[in-house]
Amino acid sequence: MAHALDRHVALVGFMGAGKSTLGSQVAERLGRRFVDLDRQLEHSLQQSIPEVFERRGEAGFRVLEAEATLEALRNERPAVLALGGGAVEAEAIRRALREHALTVHVEVDAGTAWTRAGGAGRPLASDETSFRELFDRRQPLYRDVGDAVAHDVDGIVLAAAGIVVEAGLLSRLGEVVPQGELEVVADATVLGLHRPPLDAPVYALRDGEEAKSIRAVERLWRELRLERDGTIVAFGGGCTTDAAGFVAATYLRGVAWVAVPTTLVGQVDAAIGGKTAVNLPEGKNLVGAFHWPVRTAIDPELLETLPAVERRAGMAEVVKTGLLAGEAFWEREAAELVRACAAYKAAVCLRDPHERGERAVLNLGHTFAHALEAAGDYRRPSHGEAVALGLLAALRLSGLETTAVEEVLQPQRVRVNRDAAWAALARDKKARNGRSRLVLLEAPGKPVTGVELPEERVRAALDELIAE
Ligand SMILES: NC(=O)c1ccc[n+]([C@@H]2O[C@H](COP(=O)([O-])OP(=O)(O)OC[C@H]3O[C@@H](n4cnc5c(N)ncnc54)[C@H](O)[C@@H]3O)[C@@H](O)[C@H]2O)c1
Ligand SMILES: [Zn+2]
């Protein structure tokens, strides 16, 4: 299975892997119920697992475990489930996992597992030799049933969103794209620098917003030769993934697609969350669709060729994400920074896949940014520069420190018409029934949406971003 948008996230793995602890944290991040099957069984029987083993034997326990696990898997409301360590030995459970869940193997080595679980009164963990034998017997089952392997909360969240982040992943792209027919839609400039190692036709798109035009999309609609069960692979920055994703959403009424983002903006933002779009002469992103890629393959090494100006554009979204998460993601090295930001956005989007509410937090700094971009006719400031300024305004209105934004992004006041910027901000507001859509922070890591502030304060904050 590719992602857990409308299915359970099921955690499997050996005793001591941390399924219960990680499971409850993942459930919290995804806003889902958490079902810990061992605990649930103990609760419903009013007996501890060792007591159940003693009274009914292992076979008796397995029957009860299978009943409870199958029932949880057949429940339609997507949850996060932590399965008992031995549940995967039952064929019926493995089948139900394939049908109803995205299964993540929470991996642990035998030594660590023994240190954590050995001798702790667990029925199958009293003697180290048989513990290790059991470990060896179950490994192939976890591997077989797992759609992904993870070791931490971010890893499970990324797996749930169908995202793989790994340095050097491009060279192994063939392993993460679906089987079957593929066609690649790629940014022409990026193709001159990197080549996806796939045996598939390649369609080049002009770089930049040019790609997100009806004309470019129409060309692809007419030239692609893929059948309904084929997959489009989008290779490039946010413009490429937005356009190719939109083509995938519409071509033959929708085919699967894989996003392979090559810019920092793409890896931490544009290629995550399933929004695709093209532009009209009337405005940006006016036509589009929600169409979640079956896989998002992120190789942070691709960023080594990225021009500095594009890196800065991405850093604005990195700082935004770090402020939302309450962690200084921007201080981490490239691969870690990308992974943390991608996991943060993935969790928000899994909670709110169709942007009905919570996802609005991702607009932190963007109301001001859009006003400045509109006032500059979308030529200057760039989106990244505008977001840096917008974050400054959002932090000031939140009464918070602006040092990180100032040091990392070095926002420069822009020369645009003040009235035009204010009019654009007011238009943005009117478009949403006059309700202000400001996203502010109660504290780093605590975003609040829909904040209404007196007009003078908002206008003053906007004015402060404008030169002269
Ligand atoms: N769908 C979403 O949720 C979402 C979110 C944020 C942004 N977006 C969209 O993303 C677009 C911006 O994306 P972007 O900033 O990635 O721009 P982009 O796709 O235009 O790429 C920027 C430039 O970098 C070049 N480039 C790309 N990868 C490179 C690499 N590895 N090495 C060297 N050069 C490389 C490209 O050729 C291009 O010139 C906007 O249209 C925006 O609307 C979408
Ligand atoms: Zn942005």
Side-chain angles (χ1 to χ4, degrees), residues 269 317 320 366 383 387:
D269 192 355
E317 309 296 347
K320 176 192 83 174
H366 278 61
H383 182 66
V387 171

Side-chain angles (χ1 to χ4, degrees), residues 113-384:
W114 174 252
T115 314
R116 289 183 188 159
R122 299 192 196 216
L124 300 174
S126 50
D127 155 69
E128 188 170 352
T129 311
S130 46
F131 182 86
R132 283 178 182 269
E133 276 166 16
L134 188 62
F135 181 93
D136 291 340
R137 193 174 85 216
R138 286 187 184 158
Q139 285 315 295
L141 294 173
Y142 299 135
R143 238 171 265 140
D144 168 57
V145 84
D147 296 297
V149 176
H151 306 95
D152 62 0
V153 174
D154 276 358
I156 299 169
V157 168
L158 289 166
I163 302 172
V164 185
V165 184
E166 225 176 87
L169 185 60
L170 187 70
S171 62
R172 304 194 298 102
L173 193 59
E175 294 167 32
V176 295
V177 298
Q179 303 282 311
E181 203 189 355
L182 305 170
E183 293 198 318
V184 179
V185 174
D187 176 314
T189 307
V190 180
L191 279 178
L193 298 162
H194 308 278
R195 208 76 205 181
L198 300 173
D199 179 20
V202 178
Y203 300 82
L205 285 177
R206 299 260 290 277
D207 81 342
E209 295 290 331
E210 192 69 15
K212 289 177 62 172
S213 68
I214 293 291
R215 203 143 47 89
V217 160
E218 184 189 4
R219 204 201 92 208
L220 289 168
W221 282 333
R222 299 176 66 183
E223 290 182 1
L224 291 175
R225 286 292 164 262
L226 216 54
E227 313 230 355
R228 287 283 317 261
D229 56 358
T231 303
I232 292 178
V233 178
F235 185 61
C239 289
T240 309
T241 50
D242 269 15
F246 179 65
V247 169
T250 46
Y251 176 76
L252 300 181
R253 298 195 183 85
V255 296
W257 73 293
V258 171
V260 187
T262 63
T263 60
L264 186 53
V265 167
Q267 298 191 348
V268 302
D269 192 355
I272 294 163
K275 283 211 283 181
T276 72
V278 293
N279 305 325
L280 293 181
E282 286 74 15
K284 279 197 60 175
N285 299 327
L286 288 180
V287 176
F290 287 96
H291 189 46
W292 202 286
V294 292
R295 265 274 184 287
T296 302
I298 301 182
D299 180 354
E301 279 181 4
L302 292 172
L303 304 179
E304 283 164 16
T305 55
L306 199 64
V309 56
E310 301 299 340
R311 193 176 310 273
R312 277 199 300 280
M315 281 313 282
E317 309 296 347
V318 169
V319 172
K320 176 192 83 174
T321 311
L323 290 170
L324 289 170
E327 290 185 56
F329 290 158
W330 54 84
E331 290 175 357
R332 305 189 184 177
E333 54 93 22
E336 283 305 309
L337 161 164
V338 164
R339 184 174 190 269
C341 291
Y344 182 87
K345 183 170 179 189
V348 171
C349 296
L350 283 169
R351 280 204 298 273
D352 180 16
H354 296 104
E355 203 162 14
R356 302 221 164 89
E358 272 192 76
R359 194 156 163 167
V361 299
L362 300 172
N363 283 325
L364 182 70
H366 278 61
T367 305
F368 291 97
H370 291 150
L372 297 172
E373 289 179 88
D377 272 333
Y378 296 94
R379 280 193 292 271
R380 228 181 35 94
S382 70
H383 182 66

Side-chain angles (χ1 to χ4, degrees), residues 440-454:
L440 298 183
L441 297 172
E442 261 169 37
K446 286 210 176 325
V448 270
T449 56
V451 184
E452 307 246 10
L453 289 177

